[in-house]
Amino acid sequence: MLFLPLLATLFLIACHPQQQSAAQSGGINPYAYSIQKKTVADHGAVVSAHPLASKVGVSILKKGGNAIDAAIATQLALAVVYPNAGNLGGGGFMVARLGNGELLSLDYREMAPGAAHRDMYIDKDGNARTDKSQDGHLSSGVPGTVAGLFASHQYGKLPFEQLIQPAIELAEKGFAISEREARSLNNLQTDLKQYNSIMPVFVKEKWKAGDTLVQTDLANTLKRIRDKGKAGFYEGETARLIVEEMKRGGGIISYEDLKNYVAKFRTPHQFTYKGYQIVGMPMPSSGGLLLHQMMKMIEGRNIAAMGFHSLEAIQLMTEVERRAFADRAEYMGDADYYKVPVAMLSNEVYLQERMKNYNPAKATPSTDIKPGVLLKAESEETTHLSVIDQQGNAVAITTTLNNSYGSRTVVGGAGFFLNDEMDDFSIKPGVPNMYGAVGGEANAIKAGKRMLSSMTPTLVLKDNQPYIVVGTPGGTTIPTQIFQTLVNILEFNMSAEDAVYKPKFHHQWLPDELVIETGFPASVKEAMKKMGYHFANERSGIGRTEIIKVLPNGKFEAVADKRGDDAAEGY
Ligand code: GLY
C-alpha cells in the first residue's frame, strides 16, 4: 500500500465503535477510513470517486468476483456514498475487455420519456427554458443504471445479491461523510427545498465531517432490486414511487417508460494509435469518436518532440480539440435516431483536411470553422470507475446524473436522486446546454431517444492485452482530459500519476476560449494570448481522472485523481 502524503488528502474520520455494521464483512469500516491515492497491486485494482466504493470493489475481487462483479458492486456503493453522481436514477456507459479477449460496450444512457417532444423546453415566446431542462422533475430522462447493472451481470461470476449487499449495508447503517461531502451537502440545501415536496434525508441545518449519513429509503429500494431484480426498480413499488414523484413536480416519466427501458450492447468504437488499440464508447456518447478524431489529428505531427506543456504542443492540441468539438455540435447524436457519419468523421483523409487551415503561429477563430454563438459554462459532475483483475478483465465505466445531484429531486420514499440528463439534448438549435455545448438536428429531443453524451470510458490495449483503463467526469471536458492523459503517457512517456495530476486545459470550439487549470504554464498563456487565443477564468480543477496502468511486470498501477476524495484500492 503506497500513500502519497502530500497529494492524498489522508483523513481518518472519527470512529464510532458502537456503529460497527455488517458492511465491514469485507474488512471495511464506514466510520473510519482513509483515502489512498495510489497503489500497485498484484491481483486486481479499483479506482473510484469514493474510498468506501473502491474498498467494496476490491472486497468483491477478494471473494472471487471478477472485474465486472467488482464494477457492479462499486457502482452500487457509489449510489450510496457518492450521491453527487453515483446513482440509481441516472445512466452510464461501460467499456470492457473480457479475459477471453471479447470487447464490450454497454449503453445504459437515459432515454427521453414517451411524452417528450422536440420543443418541450421552449416557451410561448420562443425562449429556451434551461431552468426546466436543468433542474426539477421535467429535466429527468428515464434512468438506465439499474438495467445496465443487470445487463453487465451476465459476464460476472458472483450472485447479484452478494454484489448489492455492501451498498444495502452502507445505506442502512450509514457511513461517515468527509469534509468535502459535508460542504457539498450544505451547498445543496436551498435546491433540495426548492425541488422536493417530501424532504429527503440530505436536508439538515448543517452537515459536518464525520456526520453519519443513513439512507433508509434507499436501503429499501436496494433491497427491492436485490429481491426482484430489474423489476425491483422498473416495476412495482419503486416504479410507483417514481411516477408519484413525477406527478408531484410536473414530470413526465410514466410506468410504460420505466418498463420499456432497455440497456443496449453496442459495437465499441475502436481505432489504433501508433500500434496501441484504443477502445471507446460509440454513440450516443461522442467520447469515443472525439478521442479518435483528436488522436488522429496529432498522430503524424511528432508531438513528443515538441515537449510536454510546450507552446507548440498545447497550441496544436487546442486546435485539434476545437475542430473535433465543431463536428460534435453538427453531426453527433443518438445513432438509433440520426444517421451519424462516424466513418466520414474518423476518416484519415477527412481529418487531415480538417487540419488544412491549422496555423501553428496563430489561433484559428472558431467562426472560421463554423458559425457560432456565445455560450456560458457551468458545473460538471459525473463519475468514473476503472477496474481490472488478473484474469484479463478490464472495465471502464462512466456514470452520471448530469449535474451534481442531477435534477436535485429525490424520489420521495425511494431515497435516490433523479438525473437532469434531458439538458444534454439540444433543447433549441444553437442554445447552449449547461456545459456550453450547442447542437442541432442530430441531438434534438425525441421520445425514446438518448441524449448525446461526452462520457469517454476508455481502454488502451497493447499487444491485445489491457494496458490502460481510464475515464473521468467533467461534462464536455471529458474527451479532452482523456485525450491529454493518453498523450501524456503514450507521447510524453509520463507515469500514470503525472499524466493525471499535471494541469489540463480544454477547448470545445464554442465558446471560443481556452479553459485552463491552476498551474497551466504562465509563459504559454502569455504567448498564446499574443497568437489570438482567448482565455476563460482559470479553474482549480478539471476532471477527476481514475486510471489503472499495467506495468511491464504485470502489476497494476492504480491512481486516483487528487482533485477529489477519489481513492485507489488493490490487493
Ligand atoms: N451528462 C454529461 C455527459 O453525458 O456528457
Side-chain angles (χ1 to χ4, degrees):
M1 193 186 283
L2 178 59
F3 283 88
L4 300 175
L6 288 177
L7 295 172
T9 326
L10 176 67
F11 69 85
L12 220 55
I13 287 176
C15 188
H16 307 285
Q18 74 281 13
Q19 291 178 305
Q20 297 296 313
S21 85
Q24 296 79 31
S25 48
I28 302 163
N29 183 345
Y31 311 110
Y33 53 91
S34 57
I35 298 177
Q36 176 176 250
K37 289 293 177 191
K38 179 176 171 181
T39 188
V40 176
D42 291 319
H43 306 290
V46 179
V47 195
S48 81
H50 199 285
L52 289 171
S54 298
K55 285 176 195 295
V56 163
V58 167
S59 77
I60 292 295
L61 291 175
K62 284 182 179 165
K63 286 179 186 147
N66 64 15
I68 300 273
D69 292 314
I72 292 170
T74 305
Q75 283 176 94
L76 285 161
L78 283 170
V80 179
V81 298
Y82 191 61
N84 319 52
N87 67 82
L88 298 181
F93 298 116
M94 175 184 86
V95 174
R97 188 258 187 204
L98 302 180
N100 63 8
E102 192 181 345
L103 298 174
L104 303 174
S105 67
L106 177 61
D107 164 6
Y108 46 103
R109 182 73 161 163
E110 299 90 332
M111 290 166 71
H117 57 92
R118 184 191 180 96
D119 296 334
M120 63 187 277
Y121 298 111
I122 300 181
D123 69 15
K124 59 179 177 20
D125 300 320
N127 300 314
R129 295 292 302 270
T130 49
D131 54 331
K132 300 272 183 211
S133 69
Q134 292 180 5
D135 288 303
H137 299 66
L138 199 58
S139 67
S140 299
V142 184
T145 293
V146 175
L149 296 173
F150 282 98
S152 62
H153 185 237
Q154 64 187 283
Y155 298 100
K157 284 162 69 180
L158 298 182
F160 197 86
E161 302 80 69
Q162 207 173 329
L163 308 181
I164 201 169
Q165 196 55 31
I168 292 173
E169 291 174 11
L170 285 165
E172 197 159 48
K173 305 281 170 39
F175 66 98
I177 63 168
S178 70
E179 196 183 321
R180 190 186 297 267
E181 287 157 354
R183 217 173 27 242
S184 166
L185 286 173
N186 288 334
N187 289 339
L188 191 67
Q189 297 302 308
T190 308
D191 280 1
L192 284 175
K193 287 169 196 154
Q194 181 172 347
Y195 297 111
N196 293 281
S197 46
I198 296 177
M199 286 307 127
V201 290
F202 307 102
V203 174
K204 180 172 161 157
E205 198 171 323
K206 189 150 181 64
W207 289 95
K208 55 183 190 327
D211 282 352
T212 299
L213 177 60
V214 173
Q215 299 171 79
T216 309
D217 289 344
L218 179 58
N220 290 335
T221 300
L222 290 164
K223 285 179 192 169
R224 286 191 291 276
I225 295 169
R226 177 194 63 194
D227 298 341
K228 298 194 162 72
K230 194 181 152 201
F233 183 87
Y234 292 99
E235 297 175 50
E237 178 65 0
T238 313
R240 186 185 72 75
L241 291 168
I242 295 172
V243 173
E244 288 301 313
E245 184 59 56
M246 288 289 116
K247 282 189 196 146
R248 279 194 291 278
I252 56 173
I253 297 174
S254 68
Y255 286 109
E256 291 69 36
D257 291 332
L258 292 165
K259 198 163 179 194
N260 291 338
Y261 184 87
V262 277
K264 293 187 176 180
F265 282 99
R266 302 192 182 272
T267 306
H269 186 101
Q270 286 190 68
F271 62 98
T272 57
Y273 182 83
K274 298 192 174 174
Y276 296 98
Q277 188 183 350
I278 300 186
V279 188
M281 197 64 215
M283 298 301 137
S285 183
S286 58
L289 178 55
L290 289 176
L291 184 64
H292 185 164
Q293 291 189 299
M294 293 185 287
M295 299 290 290
K296 284 295 176 188
M297 283 192 263
I298 64 157
E299 192 174 28
R301 291 176 184 265
N302 201 4
I303 195 165
M306 298 174 192
F308 172 69
H309 270 185
S310 64
L311 172 62
E312 294 78 4
I314 290 177
Q315 195 253 353
L316 170 63
M317 292 169 87
T318 300
E319 291 299 333
V320 157
E321 291 176 6
R322 185 202 303 274
R323 284 159 177 76
F325 270 84
D327 283 350
R328 181 192 193 276
E330 181 70 20
Y331 297 115
M332 301 185 200
D334 183 349
D336 289 348
Y337 286 77
Y338 185 86
K339 200 166 165 19
V340 181
V342 176
M344 186 271 278
L345 294 173
S346 51
N347 178 287
E348 300 214 10
V349 176
Y350 169 81
L351 292 170
Q352 294 323 315
E353 191 63 32
R354 207 82 180 87
M355 289 296 278
K356 269 228 165 104
N357 62 352
Y358 165 63
N359 182 342
K362 66 182 181 83
T364 316
S366 288
T367 45
D368 283 4
I369 295 181
K370 275 198 179 101
V373 291
L374 286 177
L375 311 169
K376 66 169 183 167
E378 258 287 356
S379 73
E380 300 146 353
E381 197 58 70
T382 292
T383 191
H384 178 84
L385 55 135
S386 293
V387 187
I388 200 160
D389 67 26
Q390 60 188 345
Q391 289 90 46
N393 300 291
V395 182
I397 289 175
T398 313
T399 178
T400 189
L401 291 164
N402 197 16
N403 203 8
S404 188
Y405 303 101
S407 64
R408 316 290 167 105
T409 298
V410 176
V411 177
F416 58 87
F417 281 96
L418 283 170
N419 67 83
D420 60 337
E421 218 72 63
M422 291 297 283
D423 190 61
D424 267 348
F425 278 118
S426 170
I427 64 168
K428 183 180 175 185
V431 170
N433 70 4
M434 73 171 74
Y435 305 115
V438 283
E441 187 55 35
N443 191 31
I445 303 174
K446 196 161 187 213
K449 191 174 170 183
R450 296 169 196 233
M451 53 298 283
L452 183 63
S453 173
S454 299
M455 294 191 281
T456 314
T458 301
L459 304 179
V460 179
L461 308 181
K462 188 176 171 181
D463 303 326
N464 226 12
Q465 296 300 315
Y467 176 48
I468 295 169
V469 188
V470 68
T472 182
T476 44
T477 69
I478 295 174
T480 57
Q481 303 321 293
I482 300 306
F483 172 50
Q484 288 166 44
T485 302
L486 291 189
V487 170
N488 286 349
I489 295 175
L490 304 180
E491 292 285 4
F492 299 127
N493 224 3
M494 272 183 205
S495 67
E497 200 176 331
D498 278 350
V500 170
Y501 290 2
K502 295 281 184 193
K504 302 283 198 316
F505 52 92
H506 170 74
H507 202 295
Q508 61 178 46
W509 176 55
L510 294 176
D512 189 351
E513 61 186 20
L514 190 60
V515 177
I516 56 169
E517 196 176 9
T518 307
F520 183 89
S523 58
V524 173
K525 181 176 176 182
E526 286 316 304
M528 287 182 82
K529 276 186 179 169
K530 290 191 183 115
M531 294 164 84
Y533 289 92
H534 310 287
F535 283 80
N537 288 338
E538 193 172 285
R539 292 196 198 173
S540 56
I542 304 180
R544 283 169 68 171
T545 302
E546 321 289 19
I547 191 165
I548 300 173
K549 188 173 151 202
V550 182
L551 300 174
N553 62 6
K555 290 181 192 276
F556 306 123
E557 180 186 30
V559 174
D561 206 317
K562 66 176 178 179
R563 297 169 179 89
D565 287 345
D566 314 51
E569 292 288 334
Y571 84 110

